[in-house]
Amino acid sequence: MTYEQAQEQTKELTEKQKQVKKQKSIGSLAKQIDRKEKEIARLQAQLEKAKTDLEKLKEELMELL
């Protein structure tokens, strides 16, 4: 293998490493996004339950007044 071929092969391997790093990073970010979306859905459900509970309490209060 000539020096030029070795340089070219090194360059190609470096590019492949960069691509693998990017793919891993993208995968990691996708997992983070998925976790956050699940957390948002959970919080939205809690908010809806709190709204329902508040409405029930308002109705009870109005009945007492």
Side-chain angles (χ1 to χ4, degrees), residues 6-16:
Q7 272 188 318
E8 185 62 29
Q9 191 174 17
T10 301
K11 183 178 174 184
E12 289 171 7
L13 289 173
T14 301
E15 281 302 312
K16 285 181 184 178

Side-chain angles (χ1 to χ4, degrees), residues 6-53:
Q7 272 188 318
E8 185 62 29
Q9 191 174 17
T10 301
K11 183 178 174 184
E12 289 171 7
L13 289 173
T14 301
E15 281 302 312
K16 285 181 184 178
Q17 284 179 327
K18 286 180 184 177
Q19 285 294 83
V20 168
K21 272 188 174 181
K22 282 182 185 178
Q23 289 172 347
K24 285 182 180 179
S25 179
I26 289 169
S28 175
L29 290 172
K31 286 179 184 176
Q32 287 179 17
I33 289 170
D34 189 49
R35 283 193 299 268
K36 292 296 182 187
E37 286 175 339
K38 287 178 182 175
E39 184 179 352
I40 288 169
R42 182 183 58 79
L43 291 171
Q44 285 175 328
Q46 284 181 347
L47 178 60
E48 286 304 313
K49 184 180 180 323
K51 285 180 181 179
T52 302
D53 291 349

